[in-house]
Amino acid sequence: MRRAVCPGSFDPITYGHLDIIERASKLYDVVHVAVLVNKNKQGLFSIDERISMIEETTAGYGNVQVESHQGLLVDYCRERSIPAIVKGLRAVSDFDYELQMAQMNHGLTGVETLFLPTSPTWSFLSSTLVKEVASYGGDVSHLIPPTVHTRLVERIAERAAR
Ligand code: PNS
C-alpha cells in the first residue's frame, strides 16, 4: 500500500485543500489527512468539527482517512509507516517556509515531502482569509464546500451574538 499524508490545520477545509487531497488520492493508495493540533492557536472550529467537515467532503474520493495528531508530523508518519508528505504550493511566497519544514522533517526521520502546485483557481485562497472575509459579511460560498459554508456562517453568527 502506498501511503501519503496531507497535513494541516484545516480551520476550515477549503476548495484549495480539497484540490490537493483529491490529486494526492489519485497518486496514492491511501491518503491520510492529519489535522495537526496547535496548542498555541485557538481555532474557529474544534478539532472534531474540522475532522467531520473533512470526512464529509472527501468521502467521495474513497481512499482518504482523517484523524488528528498532537505533536510532530514526523512522529505521525513514523507511527503509521507513511513515507511521504504531500503539500500544496500556492505561490513562491509559500516556498521558503515549506522548504525549511521539508528539510527539517527529512533530517529528522527521512520522510519525504512532495509539493503539488495548487490550481491557479485557488492560488489566493487560505482558511484565514476565508474566515476574515466571512466575518465581515463577504461572500465566500464559492471558496468552500456548501456544508462547510453553512457551518461557517452559523459559527460567525454565534460568535457575533456573544
Ligand atoms: O495548515 P497549516 O497551518 O499551514 O499547516 C502547518 C502544519 C500543521 C502542517 C505544520 O505546522 C506542522 O507540520 N505542524 C506539526 C508540528 C511539527 O511537526 N512541527 C515541525 C515542522 S518542521
Side-chain angles (χ1 to χ4, degrees):
M1 282 290 218
R2 288 177 314 144
R3 298 173 181 277
V5 60
C6 292
S9 306
F10 303 105
D11 186 36
I13 190 159
T14 69
Y15 282 137
H17 295 126
L18 286 168
D19 169 42
I20 299 301
I21 296 167
E22 180 177 17
R23 287 158 61 197
S25 78
K26 291 176 182 158
L27 297 171
Y28 289 91
D29 298 314
V30 180
V31 171
H32 298 254
V33 176
V35 181
L36 272 301
V37 181
N38 184 341
K39 287 176 292 181
N40 304 316
K41 222 162 122 186
Q42 175 69 40
L44 184 62
F45 292 99
S46 71
I47 299 296
D48 285 346
E49 288 171 328
R50 294 179 216 179
I51 289 175
S52 86
M53 286 187 275
I54 301 167
E55 283 176 342
E56 278 167 28
T57 51
T58 62
Y61 305 154
N63 60 347
V64 173
Q65 293 179 14
V66 191
E67 57 191 340
S68 64
H69 178 71
Q70 186 150 10
L72 290 176
L73 178 57
V74 290
D75 289 333
Y76 177 90
C77 294
R78 188 163 39 196
E79 286 157 16
R80 290 159 186 79
S81 302
I82 297 171
I85 299 165
V86 174
K87 289 278 195 90
L89 283 183
R90 288 167 296 192
V92 176
S93 51
D94 278 345
F95 186 69
D96 267 357
Y97 188 47
E98 291 296 342
L99 179 65
Q100 262 185 300
M101 287 197 286
Q103 290 171 329
M104 173 64 85
N105 286 333
H106 188 262
L108 289 170
T109 63
V111 69
E112 298 288 1
T113 298
L114 289 98
F115 294 120
L116 290 181
T118 299
S119 161
T121 313
W122 312 120
S123 62
F124 61 93
L125 184 52
S126 72
S127 300
T128 304
L129 277 184
V130 164
K131 288 182 282 190
E132 181 172 337
V133 171
S135 72
Y136 289 109
D139 180 13
V140 293
S141 58
H142 56 302
L143 305 175
I144 50 180
T147 53
V148 177
H149 185 252
T150 302
R151 292 197 205 204
L152 179 62
V153 169
E154 280 170 10
R155 180 56 45 87
I156 287 169
E158 282 165 22
R159 293 276 166 108
R162 275 190 192 170

